[in-house]
Amino acid sequence: MGGFRLSKRVCQIMTVVVALLLSGPGSGWAAVTELNCRGTAVSFRFEDATGLTCLCRKVEAALTLLDRLGFTAKGAIRIDLVDQVDPEDEHALFGSFDPVSREVKVLTYRRSLLRAQAGKGPFGVVLTEDLWCSFAAHELTHVVSDGYFRTLRKSRVAEEYLAYLVQFSVLEKETLKRILDRYPDVEPYRSFDEMSATYYLLDPERFAVKCFRHYQSLKDPLLFLKSLR
């Protein structure tokens, strides 16, 4: 009999589903704690399995785009899905990356929904699973790009510029449209010199939209990003 091969996406879903079934009540198995995105060196560690289905898809899309833009992932990357990210960083509402410890955290989908319902949703739109998963792409970008901008005077600005353009790029078209429509008055930056860490700290979401619209306006994004390194 001829064999058959399941797609990588189906295998990822089956791995999680089977493992969750084995960890159910009375199964005698420990709860699943890790999801490996096949074909990549990225994995997620978690206790709450809610909303996992799009994570690896976003990871794959982010890594592909980053590689095309000249940023190559090196070594294994683990992202922890947690109930709380850094409480001392008011901008780390849905995710964080510590360049010293190399710890990457994303708030669980369940906790993110609670935060959004409390009036702290991202970009002024309804938090969907698609939008939540994009924060994994955002934090992954920080890991991959760490060190590329180290000698740049505005390294924080460059890092956030790249992270947001990747995050927006991996969104479904409908989700991206809802976000951009929410900011009709926000114009793109005209140059990197206009971008500032102060503006990012004061209003990170409008900063994100200005950066992405600048990215969309570029004739040669690769050339622009090379100029920042």
Side-chain angles (χ1 to χ4, degrees):
M1 292 180 62
F4 68 95
R5 292 192 298 177
L6 296 175
S7 70
K8 179 170 62 176
R9 174 70 183 141
V10 171
C11 286
Q12 288 168 346
I13 294 174
M14 288 181 65
T15 299
V16 175
V17 170
V18 171
L20 288 174
L21 288 173
L22 290 174
S23 65
S27 64
W29 288 75
V32 175
T33 59
E34 192 160 313
L35 167 64
N36 296 301
C37 295
R38 298 191 179 189
T40 77
V42 180
S43 64
F44 291 89
R45 188 171 64 175
F46 58 91
E47 292 182 2
D48 185 345
T50 307
L52 297 180
T53 55
C54 63
L55 286 174
C56 286
R57 187 169 68 249
K58 299 303 184 190
V59 162
E60 292 166 7
L63 290 175
T64 298
L65 176 57
L66 284 165
D67 188 63
R68 192 168 76 237
L69 294 175
F71 299 86
T72 303
K74 299 175 182 178
I77 300 172
R78 191 188 72 206
I79 300 176
D80 291 329
L81 303 183
V82 298
D83 287 336
Q84 179 176 295
V85 292
D86 188 355
E88 297 181 359
D89 186 350
E90 63 180 25
H91 292 89
L93 297 179
F94 295 93
S96 67
F97 165 60
D98 186 331
V100 177
S101 66
R102 308 293 295 174
E103 288 184 340
V104 194
K105 299 177 182 178
V106 172
L107 199 65
T108 64
Y109 186 42
R110 194 185 304 275
R111 287 285 184 175
S112 296
L113 287 173
L114 291 174
R115 180 178 289 277
Q117 290 165 6
K120 298 179 180 179
F123 306 108
V125 299
V126 175
L127 179 66
T128 60
E129 191 173 316
D130 177 56
L131 179 52
W132 174 72
C133 284
S134 75
F135 283 97
H138 182 109
E139 299 307 330
L140 174 64
T141 300
H142 281 307
V143 182
V144 174
S145 65
D146 183 46
Y148 278 92
F149 304 117
R150 192 169 299 280
T151 60
L152 188 68
R153 178 173 58 87
K154 290 186 176 181
S155 60
R156 178 69 181 271
V157 172
E159 290 164 1
E160 293 299 339
Y161 178 96
L162 182 64
Y164 279 122
L165 82 82
V166 171
Q167 179 177 6
F168 279 23
S169 295
V170 303
L171 289 169
E172 299 292 339
K173 291 181 179 179
E174 296 78 7
T175 307
L176 178 60
K177 184 178 185 303
R178 282 199 299 272
I179 292 174
L180 297 181
D181 287 350
R182 178 77 171 69
Y183 299 91
D185 61 323
V186 175
E187 298 183 354
Y189 282 116
R190 289 174 293 182
S191 69
F192 182 72
D193 289 335
E194 281 191 350
M195 305 175 196
S196 73
T198 300
Y199 190 87
Y200 162 72
L201 292 172
L202 290 173
D203 198 334
E205 295 180 347
R206 292 176 74 89
F207 171 86
V209 173
K210 288 177 74 68
C211 286
F212 184 70
R213 284 183 169 149
H214 173 265
Y215 171 71
Q216 288 183 309
S217 72
L218 295 174
K219 292 182 179 180
D220 191 341
L222 183 58
L223 181 62
F224 172 74
L225 288 168
K226 281 184 177 180
S227 73
L228 304 183
R229 291 161 55 179

